[in-house]
Amino acid sequence: MPVREVSRLPELNEILETSDSNRLIIVDFFANWCGPCRMISPAFERMSMEFGNATFLKVNTDLARDVVMRYSISAMPTFLFFKNKQQVDSVRGANESAIISTIRKHYSSTPANPNAASDEEKKFLERFVGYTELRKMHTDEVFKALARSVMPDGISDRLESGEDEKKVLQELLDWFKNDFFAWFDRPTCPKCTLKCTTEGLNGTPTKEEKDGGAGRVEVYICDGCNSEMRFPRYNDPSKLLQTCTGRCGEWANCFGLILSAAGLENRFVLDTTDHVWNEVYLKKEQRWIHVDPCENTMDRPLLYTRGWKKQLKYCIAYGHDHVADVTWRYVFDSKKLVAEERNEVRQGVLENFLGKLNARQMAGATEERKRELAVRRVCELMEMMVLEAKNQRIGWEKLGEDMGGRTTASVNAHAVILRLSGYKLQNS
Ligand SMILES: [Zn+2]
């Protein structure tokens, strides 16, 4: 890993707090005007490449005054060594051999926790955290009421009275795609009615756009009259009930709120290759199914890898109180994918990370709900095994138009596990 510059004390504390207890952290306190500092800098960079299980940081003493004060740095360069949140050593001056021998003294090449994420893995995993916040908005009672005010009447009543979930879900999908939400590709200029042909540029959201939850905005320039058109990428699903437009991110986000408002338990699925969709839990069939509002389709999980020839790698599903890696449902051979193609993060590290995220998500859940989620998790594992066996038996070539989904080979695992565990759901 290259040397990373730390500019404030909280940033350094965060690194010290979250690093594996076996990981050595070396901080170079330097100044731009200091000759010896400049001289040792390339050697420090080289060390950062050589010692993979150590973190190399640098602090500009003219800028990060709080860090300098905290560690009473009085000479440049100074090197401080930390392990397990504690300072363990220091070296003063641009003495390369002293720095290396001090590293060797404290360095261990393996982490204490083999499933602890490396810096690169942490960076990759960071993107998975934010979506748990999004899911909170889907269960907001005010947002759900807003959603019900635009939805076709009586949807939740019909579901409550026991009408077929898939039938109602299909109606919702039809309505959403045909009558409610629009796909946004490029804008059309309101003055000269020309459709934009150039790519959108990255702009800074205005205050109003930020209030609507836009993290970024695309700016388009009209080819005809040079006027500017903006497309804020809103993350707030209640805002999307008004704008009714977007790409797959906005579609799945807004549809997630619609599903929650209808009373259908759902997940928001993010794939790291940049497509998102939904999943719905069918109470009668006791399983999660794939739902894609952009495509107006359901229960065709192999649509992306077979239909679109897309390579999916990490499909993470966000329920309102849990997280799951559901990649297996959307690829043909998940064993092979995990073993050979997924190399951004080690499998054990990913599971460890999702386990922690899950624990946090489930913190407020009742014991009964936790048990239900545990049963469903086992069911999904069994479903995965059945699916893999089926795919292997048929083979990729012969799958034809089969896009996965319900198979006759599926077992009603849910009921079996409930019976085995002696646990009864109230309504079963
Ligand atoms: Zn124009």
Side-chain angles (χ1 to χ4, degrees):
M1 286 288 279
V3 180
R4 168 178 162 189
E5 181 158 351
V6 169
S7 52
R8 290 187 60 240
L9 188 58
E11 196 185 340
L12 177 61
N13 288 340
E14 163 89 19
I15 295 169
L16 295 178
E17 285 296 323
T18 58
S19 292
D20 180 81
S21 60
N22 258 4
R23 195 174 180 89
L24 182 63
I25 295 153
I26 307 117
V27 189
D28 170 10
F29 289 84
F30 74 99
N32 284 330
W33 44 263
C34 151
C37 295
R38 283 201 301 272
M39 193 195 78
I40 195 75
S41 165
F44 196 61
E45 286 284 347
R46 278 197 303 277
M47 293 174 212
S48 78
M49 297 300 161
E50 188 183 336
F51 298 96
N53 194 39
T55 302
F56 289 75
L57 307 172
K58 58 181 176 182
V59 170
N60 185 331
T61 51
D62 288 322
L63 301 176
R65 296 303 303 166
D66 52 352
V67 188
V68 174
M69 301 276 277
R70 166 69 182 79
Y71 293 102
S72 314
I73 303 300
S74 56
M76 258 76 73
T78 293
F79 296 85
L80 297 189
F81 298 73
F82 297 87
K83 205 168 182 182
N84 200 10
K85 305 181 184 81
Q86 303 295 323
Q87 187 186 330
V88 290
D89 229 321
S90 67
V91 170
R92 262 197 188 196
N95 185 341
E96 186 175 344
S97 61
I99 298 166
I100 290 179
S101 65
T102 311
I103 292 176
R104 292 232 158 89
K105 191 168 138 198
H106 300 286
Y107 183 74
S108 36
S109 57
T110 50
N113 172 3
N115 288 332
S118 70
D119 291 348
E120 265 156 351
E121 285 171 328
K122 262 187 205 156
K123 221 169 163 188
F124 179 77
L125 292 171
E126 259 168 28
R127 77 181 71 188
F128 295 131
V129 180
Y131 291 90
T132 57
E133 291 304 309
L134 177 72
R135 288 297 306 177
K136 279 186 197 146
M137 293 197 268
H138 291 161
T139 51
D140 186 297
E141 289 304 326
V142 176
F143 285 8
K144 285 201 283 186
L146 283 171
R148 276 191 287 268
S149 72
V150 300
M151 281 160 60
D153 287 335
I155 292 281
S156 39
D157 294 341
R158 284 167 56 198
L159 283 167
E160 253 170 55
S161 67
E163 206 174 315
D164 181 52
E165 292 161 303
K166 271 175 139 173
K167 185 171 160 255
V168 177
L169 179 56
Q170 186 56 59
E171 273 179 45
L172 262 184
L173 278 166
D174 286 340
W175 161 76
F176 194 78
K177 166 114 183 175
N178 300 328
D179 304 323
F180 188 65
F181 224 69
W183 182 261
F184 181 91
D185 177 20
R186 278 168 203 185
T188 301
C189 175
K191 283 186 217 153
C192 29
T193 63
L194 269 177
K195 197 174 169 73
C196 235
T197 56
T198 48
E199 290 279 326
L201 305 165
N202 260 333
T204 314
T206 62
K207 187 184 176 299
E208 198 191 349
E209 288 164 347
K210 261 191 204 142
D211 288 346
R216 57 199 182 90
V217 58
E218 291 169 16
V219 179
Y220 294 84
I221 309 294
C222 171
D223 306 324
C225 68
N226 271 337
S227 60
E228 185 186 290
M229 287 159 286
R230 301 171 73 81
F231 176 51
R233 304 298 306 268
Y234 290 118
N235 293 320
D236 178 340
S238 69
K239 181 76 185 173
L240 295 173
L241 292 173
Q242 299 164 13
T243 63
C244 303
T245 184
R247 305 208 187 97
C248 60
E250 285 89 351
W251 281 69
N253 183 358
C254 192
F255 199 62
L257 175 59
I258 299 283
L259 290 168
S260 298
L264 287 164
E265 190 178 341
N266 62 93
R267 289 167 168 172
F268 179 87
V269 184
L270 162 84
D271 169 64
T272 48
T273 58
D274 212 24
H275 189 54
V276 287
W277 57 90
N278 306 92
E279 282 186 348
V280 167
Y281 190 74
L282 298 178
K283 283 187 198 152
K284 284 209 187 88
E285 295 186 19
Q286 293 172 324
R287 66 183 182 110
W288 287 99
I289 63 161
H290 155 245
V291 173
D292 190 328
C294 302
E295 298 298 313
N296 188 2
T297 194
M298 66 166 107
D299 211 11
R300 298 174 76 224
L302 291 180
L303 173 70
Y304 313 112
T305 44
R306 282 192 77 76
W308 300 2
K309 314 261 182 285
K310 211 170 148 70
Q311 201 203 10
L312 301 179
K313 271 188 161 179
Y314 299 88
C315 306
I316 309 296
Y318 297 82
H320 67 268
D321 58 0
H322 67 281
V323 190
D325 179 357
V326 293
T327 316
W328 58 271
R329 181 173 286 130
Y330 299 95
V331 299
F332 178 75
D333 188 347
S334 62
K335 262 191 210 141
K336 184 166 172 255
L337 180 79
V338 169
E340 294 170 22
E341 288 149 35
R342 296 215 304 199
N343 42 27
E344 285 80 357
V345 55
R346 288 164 291 154
Q347 183 64 13
V349 175
L350 178 66
E351 281 168 16
N352 185 43
F353 167 82
L354 290 178
K356 279 187 182 157
L357 204 56
N358 246 325
R360 202 171 77 187
Q361 289 292 96
M362 268 189 241
T366 62
E367 285 310 308
E368 191 186 354
R369 173 70 182 168
K370 280 183 192 163
R371 217 155 28 202
E372 166 66 13
L373 287 173
V375 169
R376 286 191 199 170
R377 220 166 22 241
V378 179
C379 290
E380 285 202 285
L381 274 175
M382 292 177 71
E383 206 188 320
M384 176 177 88
M385 291 189 289
V386 170
L387 183 71
E388 269 173 359
K390 178 202 142 191
N391 284 350
Q392 287 224 323
R393 200 174 56 244
I394 301 176
W396 173 262
E397 300 300 329
K398 290 192 179 149
L399 264 183
E401 290 303 300
D402 186 349
M403 296 292 168
R406 181 79 160 163
T407 64
T408 47
S410 296
V411 286
N412 193 342
H414 198 278
V416 173
I417 294 161
L418 283 181
R419 219 171 297 137
L420 287 176
S421 67
Y423 165 66
K424 266 180 118 54
L425 271 178
Q426 277 169 333
N427 56 358
S428 66

